[in-house]
Amino acid sequence: MNEMTPNAALAVTTAKDWASDQEVRWCPGCGDYAVLKAVQRTMPDLGVAREKTVFVSGIGCSSRFPYYMATYGFHTIHGRAPAFATGIKLANPELDVWIITGDGDALSIGGNHTMHVLRRNLDCQILLFNNEIYGLTKGQYSPTSRIGTRSPSTPFGSVDRPVAPCMFALGSGARFIARVIDVHKSLPDVLKAAHAHRGASFVEIYQNCIVYNDDVFASFTARDFSAERQLWLAAGEKMLFAGGTKGIALDGERLVLKVVEADDPAVLVHDPRNRGVAAMLIELPGQGFPVALGVIYEDPAPTFESSVVEQNLAAAKGKTPDLQALVSKGQSWMVEKEPRAE
Amino acid sequence: MNEMTPNAALAVTTAKDWASDQEVRWCPGCGDYAVLKAVQRTMPDLGVAREKTVFVSGIGCSSRFPYYMATYGFHTIHGRAPAFATGIKLANPELDVWIITGDGDALSIGGNHTMHVLRRNLDCQILLFNNEIYGLTKGQYSPTSRIGTRSPSTPFGSVDRPVAPCMFALGSGARFIARVIDVHKSLPDVLKAAHAHRGASFVEIYQNCIVYNDDVFASFTARDFSAERQLWLAAGEKMLFAGGTKGIALDGERLVLKVVEADDPAVLVHDPRNRGVAAMLIELPGQGFPVALGVIYEDPAPTFESSVVEQNLAAAKGKTPDLQALVSKGQSWMVEKEPRAE
Amino acid sequence: MVAMATASHIVTETEADAHPAMEAVVVRFAGDSGDGMQLTGGQFTLSTALAGNDLATFPDFPAEIRAPQGTTFGVSAFQINFGSCAIDTAGDQPDVLIAMNPAALKVNVKELREGGLIIVDDGEFTQRNLAKAGYEASPLEDGSLAKWQLVHFNISALTVEAVKPFGLGNKEALRCKNMWTLGLALWMFDRDRAPIVDWLKTKFAKAPELAEANIAALNAGHAYGETVEIGTPVRRHHIDAAPAEPGLYRTVTGAEALSVGLVAGAQLAGLKMFFAGYPITPASAILHHLARLKEFGITTFQAEDEIAAVCAAIGASYAGQLGVTSSSGPGIALKTEGIGLAVMTELPLVIVNSQRGGPSTGLPTKTEQSDLYQAVYGRNADSPLPVIAARSPSDAFECAIEAVRIATRYMVPVMLLTDGYIANAAEPWKVPDMASYAPFPVSFLEEVPEHDKIVMPYARNEELARPWIKPGTAGLEHRIGGIEKAPGSGNIDYSPEAHAEMTRVRAAKVAGVVHSIPDQAVCLGEDSGELAVVGWGSTYGPIHQAVRRARLRGLNVSHIHIRHIVPMPKNLGPLLKGFKQILVPEMNSGQLKTVLRDHFLVDAQSLSKVSGQPFRIAEIEAAIDGALK
Amino acid sequence: MVAMATASHIVTETEADAHPAMEAVVVRFAGDSGDGMQLTGGQFTLSTALAGNDLATFPDFPAEIRAPQGTTFGVSAFQINFGSCAIDTAGDQPDVLIAMNPAALKVNVKELREGGLIIVDDGEFTQRNLAKAGYEASPLEDGSLAKWQLVHFNISALTVEAVKPFGLGNKEALRCKNMWTLGLALWMFDRDRAPIVDWLKTKFAKAPELAEANIAALNAGHAYGETVEIGTPVRRHHIDAAPAEPGLYRTVTGAEALSVGLVAGAQLAGLKMFFAGYPITPASAILHHLARLKEFGITTFQAEDEIAAVCAAIGASYAGQLGVTSSSGPGIALKTEGIGLAVMTELPLVIVNSQRGGPSTGLPTKTEQSDLYQAVYGRNADSPLPVIAARSPSDAFECAIEAVRIATRYMVPVMLLTDGYIANAAEPWKVPDMASYAPFPVSFLEEVPEHDKIVMPYARNEELARPWIKPGTAGLEHRIGGIEKAPGSGNIDYSPEAHAEMTRVRAAKVAGVVHSIPDQAVCLGEDSGELAVVGWGSTYGPIHQAVRRARLRGLNVSHIHIRHIVPMPKNLGPLLKGFKQILVPEMNSGQLKTVLRDHFLVDAQSLSKVSGQPFRIAEIEAAIDGALK
Ligand SMILES: Cc1ncc(C[n+]2csc(CCOP(=O)(O)OP(=O)(O)O)c2C)c(N)n1
Ligand SMILES: Cc1ncc(C[n+]2csc(CCOP(=O)(O)OP(=O)(O)O)c2C)c(N)n1
Ligand code: SF4
Ligand code: SF4
Ligand SMILES: [Mg+2]
Ligand SMILES: [Mg+2]
């Protein structure tokens, strides 16, 4: 599709250029606003053209996102965005595809498609807005809600054990897994890393639903303990937090992670390609431990659409698409006789 | 439901008692026969009554399984067995529920339900017959088929990266994960362990489809290298294989598993409760490494149905189910006047 | 303080009469989503019911998401029609519109009847809000409201003033606006404030000062009407109580009535209920209601999706409980494969569809009755099942019981249709005497009957129902599934004979339900004549009123309303053939019409409205006139 | 060696005539799943076609799973009807039955016409096999086959003998049985062996000894017929070539014809095709065919389930390719929510339904046409879409092109119905001249048209189609989705006006397709009269033959076969009204009947067969007689 807009990709844009003319319809104070702003601010730095960008979403508050971007957008049906995205990307691999989804959309009704788009490694960015609740349908609990969540459908508290989105992604074969906070300043950097990664980039965004699940992440996002409770990972850097005073190391006995003093030589250096450690980081046990944030795991692999295109070309090689030959295929015979009357 | 059959649970049975009168309709030589026999041989040792046992399956060759058991059986629709099982178990927690499924049934169309039944931790046994192919529909590749699998739908070889069933289960929050081989003698022991575990027990069975995917597991199941290539795990035991000549240890530098001599003090002792190590064991990199088998991970947690029942009782406590009161709820008023004519 | 809009005028005698005699009034409260209009409406409804008026309401709020303040798409409205005659609809054009901001006025005023009364809070008519609503100039000044009576005063300021003593922040203070407005409305229609005061006290039990503030606002609004000289336009209406059957009454919404009906059905069948649903507007309310009723032996399960919900419900029925699942159009679409299995395995199941506007995501909060095709025909293969439709909130209670009765008696999945209007609308409900409902206890098969040697899961009783066998029952172990079966044994059987026979029996069983349902009654009018207006579901109210009005004008027209859509009552065919013309008003493109023409080969004509809004009486009345002129 | 069954007798003259004159013969090959009967049948079909006979075949194999050898549920059969007249059906009762084992005889013999010929391999009639088939005594001895002509010899032994030289194991040797039998059949009907010899050589190119062995068996079977004195019963049939239109012919199955038709459609539209499917019998074959045709710009995607398949196909259409998805009943049920989005977003999409027996898993390998309700009505809300049905394997080619034409011209999802019978059946196909097909190139919107200031994704052309806009096109960025929209701009709009208008337009657009489809033709007979037999889909053959026979007997009956089910041709209503009676034979419980009665208020009567088997000509002929007597 390039020729139509030769150097559109080069055109310099600002955040405003990426905002559509549609009135934003989220509740005042919703975390979605922060993410929208961050994305709009990040797009100009990615060197992609608006017309080459497609935002695909399911259904949910978060899934209204595409309407607010001045790009191509497809607000589809609940839970199926990854399937639409797969068709779009296979039909035109040149497009830059973003999937916008929620914890219910991606992990309740849509869990299967999330798994398959990850294992196939379709080149796309998946932004999962995790507010641990169903916002759009007025506050029922979701598969990421903690046990005991009281909601209209669980007036006595939910009893089922939540799924950990990043752990699910790891188990599904994701090759890029990151975790961030809606209002955190480093969101744009993570978005850039996700975009730079070729393949399916899974980004879980802790998003505050001010109406139905306010402050559910406060225990580690609130100003006062953020330092204590947030472990920001960077490839090749030591795993330090609490203002660089504490670190994460491996307990050689029990083979689990532990908190140590920053100067302890055992402090681990973050290797985003280690799947075993990634699993431990994603599931840091809470109590006394920080929450691992940033790019937790990254290990590129061939993308689905590139393999498909490659095979299509290879298989077609040397063959000419001759329709007449196709319909004439197989053993055939001539009939000379006159058509019978009747 | 007990009273109906007071000591049925105690009645002594043999494998034959668990076989139904239906003619078994698998291809001669199919691995499914071996699993069926193993299950029928194991049931008498579990101390459950036939009438308390329900086999629930989806659709596929493997899913025909329930017809061959002299228990209650429900052959449902493709991919949804876990959902049916959830309804059955919640409706009658006394029933012993077994889910029989295939790699396509559980991981292609049914991936989402598999994830949710695992995270909720419904008390049931899930036997996933993984033959890395769609048997019933005549041999198309499945989500567990290796890259390059030629099948009617992928005449030039499949290109998508397969999902690892046990890793998917771990990422989905499973609390019991085991892996076995259809014809292996230890299948009954694993089945017993799965049954003994309270909660969702996930058992992947490498099953040979002699017609559409023959010998796909031969690289580690064939007599000649089975010892070399099979690591049978036992809680509290050292991770040894190759006739006890080799062991598995952690590479302290790279934090990945490595093969060492059996007498190396670093050889790990199997702790089924370590999730990080479980992830590494499930994904042993092949080349030069054995395949981890047996109970890889087990760490019990409250079961879904027990929590539901508990909450139902607690919430109902002290309330009487008064229908008249229910319909009369809220502010009401009397009308004395005569009915109007019309 | 009170300024009449330039050129506004007092309603004339003739105008007053142009409007159906003052036996009923239609009032609409409109404001921002945040203004608590639904609450105001709800409380006004309660007090109106307590005053013995008959009434019907129509809450109309924006799509699920909360819109920014002051915008037109954020407007939430609540309409109530009440009076001293029988009320079956939320009314056509409002007589009174209470608008809390410019957007609310903008969106709603066009519906107000000519000469109707507008009351606005001019405190909200700031430049900013006017702009948000898309007004260049203030309609309060530019005379654009000339054809209505306009009254405006600064309700915001008056409220803040009234609640000062309780030291609330400005934001909280303004939250009391709706109570102030309610107070005014109560005064206008001579309603008692006591019940609302009680309600406020319990609602804010934890925050007494809020309770006090709201009560103060309520009283202030009432006093304002009482004392301040508003002048004629807002004259004091007194609506007499409507004559109704004697008995105990309460108000109920369709969602609640249906939920309670399911509970009643399960109790009458002697079963525990397993309800599995996945949230979706407007169906979620049923899940929410049932989740609180555990003492009735109800387990509610929020499944991962609609497919899992229907499958879990079928699983529960298989295990011996009453499986129920609920959704709206898009979710029902996902359930159809599972429903096919319930048809094949012949297990009882109740599927509730709270219909909403479509296709696809469509209009989630708007009402429609366009899923009849889906209910009757929407499955692969020959998969007939009984279909029932509720006509009103209170009727939803009866229909739910009926659905449970049929599902358990015939071992069959039953589709129960309701819609967004019924689900949300409230109406007075004569509290049923549960003792007067005959139980229909289920009996499970406990052992192999003499005449069979082995367990026969597909044996048939005289009504063609198969036995319900609970896993756990010793000696009755058997296997069932979705593959075609041999009659009797239920063993897999692909033979032409088995398939032909089982197909016949599945259909015959559903057709046989006709023998346990009542004949079709005529709701209003003769049972033959010039014109029958035939409806189903929530069009009951407007059809009934339209036919009533037409008949008052001497027209030969009857109203027939169908509850049992599959199978249809035995006498329906002959009944319809007794009319020269048949008119079928539907909030769809003519779906019941298809069924009637196919079954009875009668020339049923469709009156279709697909706008997300209920019919207006006048629309149907006009169609009647058209047919009969 | 050849023993006639006691009491068997030679077919009498009268019996011979009772059977439609020897213008056609029906032969059925039946054996164990492992015996390669489908292959034998396929090759016999080819040689028959090459001999210039017209023909139709009906493969009938067991459910997807392989059954144990020798059991009745493991029997696989292949029937071919060929001859010198036009053949539209696989024939009713076979004239000749070739049974490779007791089970095959047991299952098929009851269908053989009285006096028909039975050839069996008595080498397989061991006690064990007899028991497996449920025979107490051998039917070869007990005279139970008296009313047929019976010939039996030890084909197994003869085959092993014949292939000895090639030193195969006994198992391999026996695998050649089918070729031996084919050889005999070729001799019986005077067919040329050459093409089959060629085919065997290429098939076993890698294993020449197997090729040789099979050829030897083929020749042995032929020689056996030639030389051994079998005696009268197996007389040498010679069937003249059937008069057919001159031209190049080949045999084709419906699955292949439909696949190739989709390719042709995409090429005529100038589009690349994206095909997404999830395996399911009998739909999988289409995925398998297309997966090999990448040089035509086709991407095939085996999705994780049917929902993902339809969604991916819609995504591809959104991105500018031709999205196609395919399944059968249960899978289509899962797609209905997604199809609703395609209706709402007005994107082109072709949905192929290869119908099979149901409900639920039903009878996966048996044919049925019971998904018409689902296709026409099976979605929530008012969601009309065009529906087309193929009548035969070769017609599937034309229908596929037509589906693509409509989908792309009107920007609409199109449902294309075929069934298991069409998918698997083979028939001679006059190779189409692709140059004679008019292309219908698609044009994408490239820029904002003068008259609009901004991009208008829901602008309409004179046929109400909206523009197709490819992401990647600069200046046309826009957002679409499943929520109701404002006409033109496509922005979210819940207003009553927008919903009413968009609902109207969506319906009007589909109805408008009528202007680009041909009027309904009458296939056989006058276009008015006593009785019209109206069909759709794969019932074409038996209906056509039945009507032909009835007309030969002087009855006033016509055959009308409908391809366009939604919308129906303009002239169909008047046409049907021209007949006193209308009979609608369907392999369902009367689904097209419903549509006809609703649309045209004609008293269409259903002739229903739901057994997983195609109609027999005689069944329809009897119904015609019934109607006209
Ligand atoms: C098939 C279907 N089922 C259910 C719904 C109703 N629904 C819409 S969004 C949603 C969940 C939203 O939660 P989430 O994905 O977490 O998004 P959020 O609103 O929290 O951002 C549900 C259940 C629907 N639109 N379609
Ligand atoms: C809704 C639906 N889609 C597709 C099918 C067809 N189908 C039946 S089984 C199956 C996959 C079988 O593979 P697997 O689950 O691995 O079982 P196996 O036969 O290999 O044991 C498919 C695609 C179906 N029956 N229902
Ligand atoms: S409901 Fe919650 S998530 Fe949805 S818009 Fe409002 S604040 Fe945001
Ligand atoms: S196809 Fe494969 S999996 Fe199925 S029965 Fe045959 S051998 Fe077993
Ligand atoms: Mg959420
Ligand atoms: Mg498999």
PDB file of all heavy atoms in Angstrom, chain A residues 51 71-72 324 327 331-333 335 340, chain D residues 86 243 247 249-250 434 472-473 479:
ATOM      1  N   GLU A  51      -2.392   6.520   8.535  1.00  0.00           N
ATOM      2  CA  GLU A  51      -3.211   5.646   7.668  1.00  0.00           C
ATOM      3  C   GLU A  51      -2.725   4.203   7.675  1.00  0.00           C
ATOM      4  O   GLU A  51      -3.431   3.301   7.243  1.00  0.00           O
ATOM      5  CB  GLU A  51      -3.235   6.184   6.243  1.00  0.00           C
ATOM      6  CG  GLU A  51      -1.912   6.097   5.508  1.00  0.00           C
ATOM      7  CD  GLU A  51      -1.046   7.333   5.724  1.00  0.00           C
ATOM      8  OE1 GLU A  51      -1.334   8.095   6.678  1.00  0.00           O
ATOM      9  OE2 GLU A  51      -0.093   7.513   4.949  1.00  0.00           O
ATOM     10  N   THR A  71      -6.841   7.400  13.515  1.00  0.00           N
ATOM     11  CA  THR A  71      -6.281   6.368  12.642  1.00  0.00           C
ATOM     12  C   THR A  71      -7.435   5.524  12.124  1.00  0.00           C
ATOM     13  O   THR A  71      -8.585   5.870  12.341  1.00  0.00           O
ATOM     14  CB  THR A  71      -5.351   5.449  13.461  1.00  0.00           C
ATOM     15  OG1 THR A  71      -6.153   4.786  14.456  1.00  0.00           O
ATOM     16  CG2 THR A  71      -4.270   6.264  14.159  1.00  0.00           C
ATOM     17  N   TYR A  72      -7.138   4.426  11.483  1.00  0.00           N
ATOM     18  CA  TYR A  72      -8.184   3.461  11.195  1.00  0.00           C
ATOM     19  C   TYR A  72      -8.506   2.755  12.500  1.00  0.00           C
ATOM     20  O   TYR A  72      -7.608   2.560  13.343  1.00  0.00           O
ATOM     21  CB  TYR A  72      -7.734   2.457  10.132  1.00  0.00           C
ATOM     22  CG  TYR A  72      -7.799   3.058   8.740  1.00  0.00           C
ATOM     23  CD1 TYR A  72      -6.691   3.703   8.187  1.00  0.00           C
ATOM     24  CD2 TYR A  72      -8.983   3.037   8.010  1.00  0.00           C
ATOM     25  CE1 TYR A  72      -6.760   4.284   6.929  1.00  0.00           C
ATOM     26  CE2 TYR A  72      -9.066   3.615   6.743  1.00  0.00           C
ATOM     27  CZ  TYR A  72      -7.952   4.237   6.217  1.00  0.00           C
ATOM     28  OH  TYR A  72      -8.036   4.829   4.985  1.00  0.00           O
ATOM     29  N   GLN A 324      -8.248 -21.075 -16.129  1.00  0.00           N
ATOM     30  CA  GLN A 324      -8.759 -22.061 -17.083  1.00  0.00           C
ATOM     31  C   GLN A 324      -8.126 -23.424 -16.818  1.00  0.00           C
ATOM     32  O   GLN A 324      -8.798 -24.447 -16.823  1.00  0.00           O
ATOM     33  CB  GLN A 324      -8.457 -21.612 -18.522  1.00  0.00           C
ATOM     34  CG  GLN A 324      -9.202 -22.427 -19.571  1.00  0.00           C
ATOM     35  CD  GLN A 324     -10.716 -22.326 -19.394  1.00  0.00           C
ATOM     36  OE1 GLN A 324     -11.276 -21.241 -19.262  1.00  0.00           O
ATOM     37  NE2 GLN A 324     -11.384 -23.474 -19.337  1.00  0.00           N
ATOM     38  N   VAL A 327      -9.778 -25.004 -13.643  1.00  0.00           N
ATOM     39  CA  VAL A 327     -11.094 -25.644 -13.805  1.00  0.00           C
ATOM     40  C   VAL A 327     -10.990 -26.897 -14.686  1.00  0.00           C
ATOM     41  O   VAL A 327     -11.839 -27.778 -14.622  1.00  0.00           O
ATOM     42  CB  VAL A 327     -12.154 -24.682 -14.404  1.00  0.00           C
ATOM     43  CG1 VAL A 327     -12.469 -23.574 -13.415  1.00  0.00           C
ATOM     44  CG2 VAL A 327     -11.690 -24.122 -15.733  1.00  0.00           C
ATOM     45  N   GLN A 331      -8.355 -35.735 -15.088  1.00  0.00           N
ATOM     46  CA  GLN A 331      -8.603 -36.400 -16.365  1.00  0.00           C
ATOM     47  C   GLN A 331      -9.905 -35.901 -16.973  1.00  0.00           C
ATOM     48  O   GLN A 331     -10.920 -35.799 -16.297  1.00  0.00           O
ATOM     49  CB  GLN A 331      -8.666 -37.915 -16.152  1.00  0.00           C
ATOM     50  CG  GLN A 331      -7.375 -38.614 -16.531  1.00  0.00           C
ATOM     51  CD  GLN A 331      -7.265 -39.964 -15.872  1.00  0.00           C
ATOM     52  OE1 GLN A 331      -7.538 -40.085 -14.677  1.00  0.00           O
ATOM     53  NE2 GLN A 331      -6.868 -40.962 -16.634  1.00  0.00           N
ATOM     54  N   SER A 332      -9.869 -35.548 -18.238  1.00  0.00           N
ATOM     55  CA  SER A 332     -11.076 -35.032 -18.887  1.00  0.00           C
ATOM     56  C   SER A 332     -11.284 -35.711 -20.235  1.00  0.00           C
ATOM     57  O   SER A 332     -10.409 -36.422 -20.718  1.00  0.00           O
ATOM     58  CB  SER A 332     -10.933 -33.530 -19.085  1.00  0.00           C
ATOM     59  OG  SER A 332      -9.759 -33.260 -19.837  1.00  0.00           O
ATOM     60  N   TRP A 333     -12.431 -35.524 -20.834  1.00  0.00           N
ATOM     61  CA  TRP A 333     -12.751 -36.166 -22.121  1.00  0.00           C
ATOM     62  C   TRP A 333     -13.627 -35.239 -22.945  1.00  0.00           C
ATOM     63  O   TRP A 333     -14.337 -34.410 -22.401  1.00  0.00           O
ATOM     64  CB  TRP A 333     -13.454 -37.500 -21.880  1.00  0.00           C
ATOM     65  CG  TRP A 333     -14.802 -37.362 -21.231  1.00  0.00           C
ATOM     66  CD1 TRP A 333     -16.012 -37.326 -21.848  1.00  0.00           C
ATOM     67  CD2 TRP A 333     -15.071 -37.220 -19.827  1.00  0.00           C
ATOM     68  NE1 TRP A 333     -17.024 -37.181 -20.930  1.00  0.00           N
ATOM     69  CE2 TRP A 333     -16.469 -37.113 -19.678  1.00  0.00           C
ATOM     70  CE3 TRP A 333     -14.260 -37.167 -18.669  1.00  0.00           C
ATOM     71  CZ2 TRP A 333     -17.094 -36.958 -18.441  1.00  0.00           C
ATOM     72  CZ3 TRP A 333     -14.896 -37.008 -17.450  1.00  0.00           C
ATOM     73  CH2 TRP A 333     -16.277 -36.910 -17.334  1.00  0.00           C
ATOM     74  N   VAL A 335     -16.697 -34.551 -25.616  1.00  0.00           N
ATOM     75  CA  VAL A 335     -17.947 -35.096 -26.147  1.00  0.00           C
ATOM     76  C   VAL A 335     -18.230 -34.377 -27.445  1.00  0.00           C
ATOM     77  O   VAL A 335     -18.281 -33.145 -27.467  1.00  0.00           O
ATOM     78  CB  VAL A 335     -19.112 -34.883 -25.150  1.00  0.00           C
ATOM     79  CG1 VAL A 335     -20.428 -35.264 -25.805  1.00  0.00           C
ATOM     80  CG2 VAL A 335     -18.874 -35.681 -23.879  1.00  0.00           C
ATOM     81  N   ARG A 340     -28.794 -33.842 -26.942  1.00  0.00           N
ATOM     82  CA  ARG A 340     -30.064 -34.539 -27.128  1.00  0.00           C
ATOM     83  C   ARG A 340     -31.203 -33.521 -27.016  1.00  0.00           C
ATOM     84  O   ARG A 340     -31.070 -32.482 -26.376  1.00  0.00           O
ATOM     85  CB  ARG A 340     -30.231 -35.611 -26.043  1.00  0.00           C
ATOM     86  CG  ARG A 340     -30.635 -35.023 -24.674  1.00  0.00           C
ATOM     87  CD  ARG A 340     -30.890 -36.133 -23.698  1.00  0.00           C
ATOM     88  NE  ARG A 340     -30.659 -35.645 -22.332  1.00  0.00           N
ATOM     89  CZ  ARG A 340     -29.443 -35.384 -21.853  1.00  0.00           C
ATOM     90  NH1 ARG A 340     -28.378 -35.516 -22.628  1.00  0.00           N
ATOM     91  NH2 ARG A 340     -29.283 -34.937 -20.613  1.00  0.00           N
TER      92      ARG A 340
ATOM     93  N   ALA D  86     -29.905 -38.712 -19.338  1.00  0.00           N
ATOM     94  CA  ALA D  86     -29.403 -37.735 -18.382  1.00  0.00           C
ATOM     95  C   ALA D  86     -29.596 -38.282 -16.972  1.00  0.00           C
ATOM     96  O   ALA D  86     -30.658 -38.801 -16.640  1.00  0.00           O
ATOM     97  CB  ALA D  86     -30.157 -36.424 -18.537  1.00  0.00           C
ATOM     98  N   PRO D 243     -26.119 -38.962 -24.495  1.00  0.00           N
ATOM     99  CA  PRO D 243     -26.014 -37.749 -25.306  1.00  0.00           C
ATOM    100  C   PRO D 243     -25.840 -36.552 -24.379  1.00  0.00           C
ATOM    101  O   PRO D 243     -26.598 -36.368 -23.430  1.00  0.00           O
ATOM    102  CB  PRO D 243     -27.348 -37.685 -26.029  1.00  0.00           C
ATOM    103  CG  PRO D 243     -28.301 -38.466 -25.179  1.00  0.00           C
ATOM    104  CD  PRO D 243     -27.477 -39.510 -24.480  1.00  0.00           C
ATOM    105  N   GLY D 247     -18.400 -30.807 -25.834  1.00  0.00           N
ATOM    106  CA  GLY D 247     -17.451 -29.993 -25.094  1.00  0.00           C
ATOM    107  C   GLY D 247     -16.534 -30.845 -24.255  1.00  0.00           C
ATOM    108  O   GLY D 247     -16.603 -32.072 -24.267  1.00  0.00           O
ATOM    109  N   TYR D 249     -15.219 -32.389 -20.873  1.00  0.00           N
ATOM    110  CA  TYR D 249     -15.820 -32.778 -19.597  1.00  0.00           C
ATOM    111  C   TYR D 249     -14.773 -33.308 -18.628  1.00  0.00           C
ATOM    112  O   TYR D 249     -13.726 -33.793 -19.030  1.00  0.00           O
ATOM    113  CB  TYR D 249     -16.882 -33.861 -19.814  1.00  0.00           C
ATOM    114  CG  TYR D 249     -18.194 -33.317 -20.321  1.00  0.00           C
ATOM    115  CD1 TYR D 249     -18.340 -32.938 -21.651  1.00  0.00           C
ATOM    116  CD2 TYR D 249     -19.285 -33.182 -19.471  1.00  0.00           C
ATOM    117  CE1 TYR D 249     -19.544 -32.431 -22.124  1.00  0.00           C
ATOM    118  CE2 TYR D 249     -20.489 -32.675 -19.922  1.00  0.00           C
ATOM    119  CZ  TYR D 249     -20.618 -32.304 -21.260  1.00  0.00           C
ATOM    120  OH  TYR D 249     -21.813 -31.807 -21.709  1.00  0.00           O
ATOM    121  N   ARG D 250     -15.079 -33.198 -17.338  1.00  0.00           N
ATOM    122  CA  ARG D 250     -14.290 -33.842 -16.291  1.00  0.00           C
ATOM    123  C   ARG D 250     -15.266 -34.200 -15.170  1.00  0.00           C
ATOM    124  O   ARG D 250     -16.422 -33.745 -15.186  1.00  0.00           O
ATOM    125  CB  ARG D 250     -13.218 -32.892 -15.753  1.00  0.00           C
ATOM    126  CG  ARG D 250     -13.823 -31.611 -15.137  1.00  0.00           C
ATOM    127  CD  ARG D 250     -12.800 -30.757 -14.434  1.00  0.00           C
ATOM    128  NE  ARG D 250     -12.419 -31.362 -13.164  1.00  0.00           N
ATOM    129  CZ  ARG D 250     -11.849 -30.669 -12.173  1.00  0.00           C
ATOM    130  NH1 ARG D 250     -11.586 -29.386 -12.341  1.00  0.00           N
ATOM    131  NH2 ARG D 250     -11.532 -31.261 -11.040  1.00  0.00           N
ATOM    132  N   MET D 434     -13.676 -19.904 -18.958  1.00  0.00           N
ATOM    133  CA  MET D 434     -13.589 -18.762 -18.045  1.00  0.00           C
ATOM    134  C   MET D 434     -13.642 -17.434 -18.770  1.00  0.00           C
ATOM    135  O   MET D 434     -14.051 -16.418 -18.202  1.00  0.00           O
ATOM    136  CB  MET D 434     -12.321 -18.876 -17.184  1.00  0.00           C
ATOM    137  CG  MET D 434     -12.343 -20.037 -16.187  1.00  0.00           C
ATOM    138  SD  MET D 434     -13.931 -20.270 -15.361  1.00  0.00           S
ATOM    139  CE  MET D 434     -14.099 -18.699 -14.517  1.00  0.00           C
ATOM    140  N   GLY D 472      -4.784   1.994   5.239  1.00  0.00           N
ATOM    141  CA  GLY D 472      -3.583   2.223   4.436  1.00  0.00           C
ATOM    142  C   GLY D 472      -3.818   3.375   3.471  1.00  0.00           C
ATOM    143  O   GLY D 472      -2.884   3.980   2.976  1.00  0.00           O
ATOM    144  N   THR D 473      -5.090   3.687   3.240  1.00  0.00           N
ATOM    145  CA  THR D 473      -5.421   4.792   2.348  1.00  0.00           C
ATOM    146  C   THR D 473      -5.371   6.106   3.118  1.00  0.00           C
ATOM    147  O   THR D 473      -6.156   6.310   4.051  1.00  0.00           O
ATOM    148  CB  THR D 473      -6.840   4.598   1.762  1.00  0.00           C
ATOM    149  OG1 THR D 473      -6.976   3.262   1.293  1.00  0.00           O
ATOM    150  CG2 THR D 473      -7.090   5.581   0.637  1.00  0.00           C
ATOM    151  N   ARG D 479     -13.374   5.208  11.816  1.00  0.00           N
ATOM    152  CA  ARG D 479     -13.624   4.159  12.795  1.00  0.00           C
ATOM    153  C   ARG D 479     -14.991   3.539  12.524  1.00  0.00           C
ATOM    154  O   ARG D 479     -15.957   4.280  12.258  1.00  0.00           O
ATOM    155  CB  ARG D 479     -13.624   4.740  14.218  1.00  0.00           C
ATOM    156  CG  ARG D 479     -12.262   4.919  14.866  1.00  0.00           C
ATOM    157  CD  ARG D 479     -11.352   5.957  14.238  1.00  0.00           C
ATOM    158  NE  ARG D 479     -11.947   7.260  14.091  1.00  0.00           N
ATOM    159  CZ  ARG D 479     -11.412   8.233  13.339  1.00  0.00           C
ATOM    160  NH1 ARG D 479     -10.286   8.049  12.671  1.00  0.00           N
ATOM    161  NH2 ARG D 479     -12.023   9.385  13.248  1.00  0.00           N
TER     162      ARG D 479
END
